[in-house]
Amino acid sequence: MLSVLRRKAAAAAVGGSDAMLLGGRLRKSCAAAAAGLRGYATAAKEMTVREALNSALDEEMSADPKVFLMGEEVGEYQGAYKVSKGFLPKFGPERVVDTPITEAGFTGIGVGAAYYGLKPVVEFMTFNFAMQAIDHIINSAAKTNYMSAGNISVPIVFRGPNGAAAGVGAQHSQCYAAWYGSCPGLKVLAPYSSEDARGLLKAAIRDPDPVVFLENELMYGERFPVSAEALDSSFCLPIGKAKIEREGKDVTITAFSKMVGLSLEAAEILAKEGITAEVINLLSIRPLDRPTINASVRKTNRLVTVEEGFPQHGVGAEICMSIIEDSFGYLDAPIERITGADVPMPYAANLERMALPQIEDIVRAAKRVCHRSVPMAATA
């Protein structure tokens, strides 16, 4: 299969000058997007996160014959979460490759294909299963460019749902943002909205380095407004740039993926009590947009970090250290971290809810840093 793909890619390189020119324009447009991220004021339509991922991957595969998708049930079944719906009849089995249930095997094949100049998109049914392939992700993909003195690029995307879903137990509910975010050589992205998913997936596929793309199972069906600009096939978002979802002056709240939604809801509640929260959607875990976070904290003088992963060595811990190193003198209150509980995820629904961050947890933390919390005795 890979030999066929290599031959097709070589043929496209010789005769596909139009595709090469289009690729150049796409890269230029992505660089232009780095000038700044805009909100949804120019929204043209609504789109689910699933539809955003599907359209982004469809357009990138259409624009570049080197891009192909592989993973369990991505073809005949159209993806476990229907992200690859319609791909098999459009692109054929050579570019939409159904694999056996062997993450270590097909991830290694994907990395090898990237060594040869192809651009694999490897789909994991869940990132919990990617633990079977973590040797290829870290040792084979992340380190090769450095160990080859820059002679071998590894343009590959590892994507799939990350974090807790609902009632799937401890082995299927982990957040891997901090795991992969600690590894040099990887870029780690975590979209929240449809526009995030569309723009970041395009950027990930075009990037010359390995990218871990962390989606969320519970977000696939969520519908968001999408701007007219984001619907253009040349659209992408810059890797390493956070987005201020809501401006405020009293407290900064950082979050990524599903936790952005909870943080925005918490900000609405806080606004009714006279606290204006600035909500930052991180988008990129590695590289982390430290300048945007520090600039916000220097304005609000307070910080609450939110993530559903474990507390120890988490993304929030890294953000806290960044603030202590660069903006400690601006803090008017201790930093608050909201995380998942430091336990394996319970299966029971009531315990699962207790183990994950909730809106009320964010509200209470923001009130504490703003010295507005109600004493426990007053609520007894």
Side-chain angles (χ1 to χ4, degrees), residues 303-322:
L303 174 64
V304 176
T305 70
V306 185
E307 63 185 304
E308 67 174 52
F310 300 128
Q312 187 159 325
H313 310 307
V315 175
E318 177 64 23
I319 292 173
C320 291
M321 195 64 220
S322 176

Side-chain angles (χ1 to χ4, degrees), residues 278-359:
E278 182 149 293
V279 179
I280 297 179
N281 177 2
L282 295 177
L283 294 176
S284 178
I285 306 301
R286 185 183 185 103
L288 188 64
D289 188 358
R290 300 172 194 273
T292 293
I293 299 169
N294 275 274
S296 178
V297 171
R298 291 183 181 195
K299 178 177 69 173
T300 66
N301 310 117
R302 299 170 180 87
L303 174 64
V304 176
T305 70
V306 185
E307 63 185 304
E308 67 174 52
F310 300 128
Q312 187 159 325
H313 310 307
V315 175
E318 177 64 23
I319 292 173
C320 291
M321 195 64 220
S322 176
I323 296 301
I324 289 172
E325 289 174 340
D326 298 329
S327 302
F328 180 75
Y330 291 84
L331 290 172
D332 287 344
I335 298 171
E336 290 268 356
R337 280 192 302 159
I338 304 297
T339 71
D342 197 20
V343 297
M345 182 64 69
Y347 175 73
N350 60 328
L351 297 179
E352 182 182 64
R353 187 183 190 280
M354 293 173 65
L356 289 169
Q358 303 297 326
I359 296 170

Side-chain angles (χ1 to χ4, degrees), residues 163-164 175 190-192 216 218-219 253-267 279-282 305-309 338-340 355-359 361-362:
C175 175
Y192 162 61
N216 187 284
L218 299 179
M219 297 298 295
I253 302 175
T254 64
F256 61 93
S257 191
K258 187 174 182 290
M259 293 296 106
V260 176
L262 271 64
S263 299
L264 289 170
E265 291 186 56
V279 179
I280 297 179
N281 177 2
L282 295 177
T305 70
V306 185
E307 63 185 304
E308 67 174 52
I338 304 297
T339 71
L356 289 169
Q358 303 297 326
I359 296 170
D361 299 324
I362 304 170

